Structure formats: C-alpha cells, structure tokens
Amino acid sequence: MKSYEIVVIGGGPAGLAAAIEAKSNGAKDILVVERDRELGGILQQCIHNGFGLHVFKEELTGPEYAERFIEGLKQQGIEYKLDTMVLDITDHKQVSMINPEDGFLQVQAKAVVLAMGCRERTRGAINIPGSRASGIFTAGTAQRFVNMEGYMVGKDVVILGSGDIGLIMARRMTLEGAKVHAVVELLPFSGGLTRNIVQCLEDFNIPLLLSHTVTNIVGKDRVKEIQIAEVDENRRPIPGTERSFKCDTLLLSVGLIPENELSKSAGIRLDGITGGPVVNESMETSIEGIFACGNVVHVHDLVDWVTEESRRAGKNAARYVQNQLVQGVKTITTKPGQGVRYVVPHYIRPENIEDKLNLMMRVDNVYHGARLVIKEDDRVIKSIKKAHLAPGEMESIKLTKQELETIAGKEITIALEIEEAKE
Amino acid sequence: MSKTVEMICISCPMGCKMAIETITNGVTRYKVSGNKCPRGEQYGVKEMTNPTRMVTSTVKMKNGHLNRLPVRTSDAIPKYKISECMAVLKAVEVEGPVKVGDVIINNLLGLEIDIIATRSM
C-alpha cells in the first residue's frame, strides 16, 4: 500500500491552503484528493468579486482567488488526484478512494486533513409542500449551471432564502435576462451581507420579503406558480396573507451543512451546533493526527477566513508528522455563553500555541452596542466592544500566548454582554 | 429647493441608515446625515453623483473544458452602463487558451475600462 505523510481530502480553498502550508512547513509527501474534474472547489462557480480583501489586500473574483492557490500547489510540486472520490477513512488513517484511472485505491497516511467543505440544504431538508415539478434548484446548483456549464435555469424566478448565495443569484439571473420576482426570507432579517442586499437587490429593484415563506409549489411538469405567505413570530404562515407569483423557477438558498459523512464513519466526534468536527487549537479532531479545516468544520462567510484556518490546519499537520505537536497536556475548553452559538476551536492546549490563537464564533441574533467577553469564572481575560453583531457575520477574537497562560482552570466562557437594548 | 433620498451605507458591515439631502441653491450640494464616519459621506455623495459597480459575468468559450469563461470589468463602471455592458458580453465568443488577466474586450463602450478573463482555460 502506498503511503503519504499527509493526505488532504478536498481540493477547494481549504484543501489547497492546507496542502501548501504543510509543504512550506516541512511535510514531504502530500496528496490532495479532489472529486471534481478540476481543483478550486466552489470558488470556480463564484464568478462575482469580493474575495481576497484580507488575504491578498485586493478584491478578486472566486476563480482568480482559486487560481492563485492552484498555481501555488503546482509550484510546490504537490501531488493531486482529480475525479477521485474518497470512500472511507479509518481511525488508523487508511484512506480508500476510487477513480476511473486507478480503480479502487488504498493509501496509508501519517496525518489526514479533512477539507470536504459543505453542501446545500435542499427542498427535502425544509419540507416545502407542493408538486414535484422541474424548475426547483438549490442556488448553488443554478450558479454552476449558469456560470460554468452555460445553461440558463429559468426565466421567471422566485428565490427562497436571503443568504449571500441567494442574493448573488438574484443579481446573476437578472443580468442574464431573467425576471426575479422576489427574494423570500423566513426570518425577520437577512442572513446576507448588507453590501449584497444593496448591490444585488436594490440596484435591480428586486423585493426582499422578510418574514415570508413558500407555502406551495404548483405545476405538473414545470413549476407554474409559487405561493407564499407572511409568517408569525413562530414562523408559521398567517392565514389571509397568501399571494402567488407566476414563475417557472424556484431557487433555494436555505443554508449550508458541513459534509461529514467521512468524518462520521471514521468515528470523529461532531459538534451538534456547527455540524462539523470538534477541534482543538491545531484544528485536530477527536482522532489524533486527523485535522479538519474550512466549511467542513463550520460554515464561513468569507473565503479569507477559510484560508487562515486551513493554513493553521496544514501547518499543524506538518508539525504532527514531525512529532512537534504535544499531546496529552493541559487542555482548556472554550464554552459559548449567552448570545454566542458556538466557538471554534472547542479545546485549547496552550503548549501548542506559538504566539496567538484566533477564536471564531457566531452570535445568535442581531445586536448593536455589545461586548464579546472572554472570562475564566468571573475574571475577564479579554473584552471587545462591538458596534454591530449579526448571525450572518462571523466574529473572531485573538488570544495571545501570554493571555492563554494566565488561565489556571479547565474552562473559559465566551459570552455577549449587552450595553444597549437589542435592536 | 431640496429633496432627500434614503440609503444604507455599504462601506462597512455597520450599515448606517443615511439620508442624503440635495440642496440646489445655485450650486448643487449634498448633505449626508445618519452616517457614523466620513466614509459614509463619501459613499452617499458618490451614489448621488456617479454610482459605479464592478460587473462580473461570463462569455461563450469555444474550446475550453467549460462552456463559459468568467470575466470582469477591470474597474467599476457607471451603474447605468451595466445593461449595455451585458449586451456587449452576450455577443462575445472566445477561443482558448486564455490566461487569467487577459484582455477580452479593449476599452468597453469607450469607458477606458477593459473586460478581462478571471481564470485561465
């Protein structure tokens, strides 16, 4: 059986950054496994701009951002396999895969980096009633058809969900000549960036209907009509508020789920809130030597943060294969407190921190004028004032090695302290 | 004579709700309120005088492994030119190989802005 020092599963932004960083930190044999026909992952279909402001200090489109990393991978001479599906990872880091060239193949890795990304929630995940007509797509699928394959998915469109992909697709479909009747959002606020609401909806006079949902899909062969209604505070449709749009297409932008089938079968512990592996400061999962990064761990809103996190995972995978990661030492748990939904990483071993650690988190509502406070019991370790907080915008706090060394116990809490009334 | 337009600033995630008052008293001036920083004022005035946007789209690709080649404007173009820009792109068919950054259309609509490829193919 062929063996590698590090096998990276997934050739999107997370896998590419992890592999390049592992190589730069002394790892020798690295294999990147990608199931698509090319590297770059979902960035290749995200042809809009707005990527790279933090990593490259300039504004790039998705394909441009991807190409920089693909070039980096090739320059480093890192081996990769395309059209290759990983079937299984064992807790002993044996990776089974299949492709048209090698057939079935098993390799032994010293370390594994999970970078499988995430998957879109579908109609089935949210149980929309109505007929099973054609013309119902997840926004990402439609994006791939339009931007890469060159197929227009419809002419008269309603979009359910106002996350960034839904907003971006509203503009994209409009530019390509479709009529987007409305973007319908179940929650009383949009999960997308304000910038996208302005540039994708307001620029084209596309209505954003907050606190509304799709109540029925009508159409025998193709979608003919989408019925919507306003919802109450319990997200239940309010009788009498129904109305409908004559259209041929429904796009769904109703959330993303980390893709962890492989992690589960390997026996890796998952976090119920993020849907991704529980990780420590080195982005190592509950199985020693198996690391994870990017959207497979938690869904990010900016690829720049995926890159930052994945570089950390790649570097630590390299440290692991060179026996530089300390195992079985003092471990601190990071606990989300009031107003904070989750914190990544879940565990910190201060001995493995070189200078600082980035804690990433999401809040549970829209807040103005609040503080993110890290505490050990009643002692404040760090407190940061935030003028604006929203669930759609990931927050991060840096802790220095010195600050981490002041922690005597086994747990710190990250919570929101509200100074003004919630909006 | 004055009229007021409301808009949300997109310079940062704060999303200030601003009001921009147009004052026509011999010379046209704009008074921005509701912004919490100078960038808001800058954005508000720009939106009133010459709003611009980057356009990202695709063109037909003849011999690539994909049917479409992603492209963008080399800089932001006036907002009212977006649909004209799309019409121009619709008629373009590119033959490979193309490198990222290659100019696909020179001096788009006389705006001194190019259309460039955003990936190699």
Side-chain angles (χ1 to χ4, degrees):
Chain A
M1 191 188 304
K2 190 150 191 214
S3 62
Y4 289 91
E5 274 196 340
I6 302 175
V7 172
V8 178
I9 302 174
L16 291 169
I20 293 168
E21 198 67 11
K23 182 90 181 186
S24 318
N25 281 277
K28 287 181 201 81
D29 311 311
I30 303 171
L31 173 68
V32 177
V33 188
E34 168 57 48
R35 69 179 167 193
D36 202 352
R37 62 196 160 190
E38 61 181 340
L39 295 169
I42 225 71
L43 284 171
Q44 299 287 21
Q45 68 184 52
C46 298
I47 63 162
H48 53 279
N49 58 321
F51 302 90
L53 281 168
H54 298 273
V55 169
F56 295 112
K57 310 288 172 217
E58 59 181 306
E59 202 168 345
L60 302 172
T61 63
E64 287 170 303
Y65 192 95
E67 195 156 325
R68 293 197 179 186
F69 283 88
I70 295 169
E71 283 308 308
L73 190 91
K74 289 178 179 166
Q75 271 166 26
Q76 295 261 30
I78 297 169
E79 186 183 339
Y80 60 92
K81 284 183 185 295
L82 302 177
D83 289 314
T84 306
M85 186 79 186
V86 172
L87 303 172
D88 184 55
I89 309 164
T90 68
D91 51 0
H92 293 90
K93 304 175 204 81
Q94 224 177 67
V95 184
S96 307
M97 57 190 91
I98 193 162
N99 70 28
E101 223 170 273
D102 305 304
F104 179 76
L105 183 69
Q106 276 185 312
V107 301
Q108 179 67 52
K110 277 189 199 157
V112 173
V113 179
L114 306 174
M116 293 91 77
C118 60
R119 195 187 281 166
E120 291 180 284
R121 292 175 77 204
T122 59
R123 178 183 181 182
I126 54 169
N127 294 318
I128 307 172
S131 78
R132 298 172 62 88
S134 73
I136 305 159
F137 300 88
T138 58
T141 302
Q143 190 179 43
R144 191 179 173 99
F145 274 130
V146 174
N147 293 347
M148 294 174 77
E149 317 291 347
Y151 295 106
M152 192 58 178
V153 296
K155 290 181 186 138
D156 280 280
V157 186
V158 170
I159 299 176
L160 176 62
S162 66
D164 287 311
I165 314 171
L167 301 174
I168 295 280
M169 279 312 287
R171 172 174 64 185
R172 189 73 194 118
M173 294 298 288
T174 308
L175 285 176
E176 287 296 342
K179 163 89 183 153
V180 178
H181 294 271
V183 173
V184 179
E185 169 61 57
L186 180 69
L187 298 175
F189 55 85
S190 163
L193 302 170
T194 314
R195 171 198 165 86
N196 284 335
I197 294 173
V198 173
Q199 297 202 350
C200 298
L201 301 188
E202 290 177 10
D203 272 7
F204 301 97
N205 299 314
I206 300 167
L208 172 60
L209 304 173
L210 299 173
S211 298
H212 278 72
T213 196
V214 171
T215 51
N216 196 13
I217 299 171
V218 184
K220 192 165 170 279
D221 299 317
R222 179 79 190 192
V223 172
K224 272 199 174 133
E225 183 185 337
I226 298 294
Q227 296 172 353
I228 67 163
E230 204 175 327
V231 296
D232 61 20
E233 60 273 21
N234 299 316
R235 301 181 194 175
R236 273 194 289 268
I238 303 168
T241 63
E242 298 89 357
R243 57 176 154 147
S244 72
F245 296 102
K246 294 264 177 271
C247 61
D248 56 25
T249 302
L250 175 67
L251 299 188
L252 302 172
S253 173
V254 291
L256 301 165
I257 319 161
E259 194 167 347
N260 277 291
E261 281 70 19
L262 290 173
S263 323
K264 274 182 219 159
S265 70
I268 288 167
R269 196 150 80 79
L270 300 185
D271 174 339
I273 305 277
T274 60
V278 168
V279 291
N280 63 26
E281 79 297 327
S282 306
M283 299 309 294
E284 189 183 25
T285 66
S286 61
I287 299 179
E288 196 186 296
I290 300 186
F291 298 78
C293 53
N295 284 350
V296 80
V297 178
H298 57 135
V299 176
H300 295 61
D301 27 58
L302 291 184
V303 73
D304 297 70
W305 304 144
V306 169
T307 299
E308 192 271 334
E309 183 180 287
S310 306
R311 284 177 171 162
R312 187 141 44 95
K315 182 177 182 178
N316 286 306
R319 285 169 82 193
Y320 175 81
V321 298
Q322 294 165 81
N323 296 315
Q324 289 168 6
L325 267 194
V326 202
Q327 305 283 354
V329 287
K330 184 187 151 169
T331 304
I332 301 159
T333 306
T334 60
K335 195 179 147 202
Q338 200 202 335
V340 177
R341 286 194 70 225
Y342 72 80
V343 181
V344 168
H346 305 74
Y347 298 105
I348 308 170
R349 297 170 302 185
E351 269 192 59
N352 284 318
I353 306 284
E354 288 179 321
D355 52 346
K356 56 187 182 307
L357 175 71
N358 217 2
L359 292 178
M360 287 173 279
M361 64 208 69
R362 275 185 201 278
V363 296
D364 63 358
N365 209 327
V366 177
Y367 299 96
H368 284 274
R371 282 181 171 278
L372 275 170
V373 185
I374 305 183
K375 276 184 180 174
E376 179 182 19
D377 299 321
D378 287 332
R379 183 178 70 89
V380 175
I381 302 164
K382 198 155 207 169
S383 164
I384 293 169
K385 197 175 160 138
K386 290 279 176 185
H388 172 85
L389 290 155
E393 284 156 28
M394 199 165 78
E395 296 296 330
S396 74
I397 305 178
K398 275 199 175 72
L399 277 183
T400 63
K401 191 170 172 74
Q402 287 74 22
E403 283 164 336
L404 285 163
E405 278 167 350
T406 65
I407 300 163
K410 289 198 162 144
E411 185 180 280
I412 53 171
T413 310
I414 299 94
L416 208 59
E417 291 182 4
I418 293 138
E419 294 178 333
E420 295 161 25
K422 196 176 83 183
E423 195 184 60
Chain B
M1 270 280 292
S2 77
K3 67 176 179 149
T4 304
V5 176
E6 288 186 358
M7 66 175 74
I8 297 171
C9 178
I10 57 169
S11 303
C12 84
M14 272 295 285
C16 293
K17 289 185 184 73
M18 310 193 296
I20 292 108
E21 194 185 342
T22 309
I23 303 157
T24 44
N25 185 11
V27 229
T28 307
R29 287 188 304 120
Y30 300 95
K31 198 177 153 228
V32 182
S33 56
N35 55 313
K36 293 196 175 77
C37 83
R39 284 199 291 165
E41 185 172 353
Q42 222 175 41
Y43 172 79
V45 174
K46 182 98 197 297
E47 280 296 288
M48 293 305 291
T49 52
N50 179 28
T52 59
R53 301 285 185 264
M54 290 284 290
V55 175
T56 59
S57 189
T58 60
V59 293
K60 265 185 231 141
M61 184 78 194
K62 234 181 191 166
N63 50 351
H65 73 285
L66 300 175
N67 294 327
R68 309 294 295 191
L69 175 76
V71 296
R72 66 172 168 89
T73 48
S74 56
D75 207 342
I77 65 168
K79 205 166 123 179
Y80 72 92
K81 289 278 186 189
I82 293 176
S83 54
E84 270 179 76
C85 172
M86 288 303 294
V88 171
L89 293 181
K90 206 170 179 179
V92 175
E93 186 164 6
V94 177
E95 211 167 314
V98 174
K99 286 293 281 178
V100 63
D102 279 0
V103 174
I104 302 297
I105 300 170
N106 204 0
N107 194 13
L108 171 79
L109 302 166
L111 294 166
E112 294 184 352
I113 280 166
D114 300 331
I115 292 287
I116 60 172
T118 57
R119 71 168 286 175
S120 305
M121 202 188 292

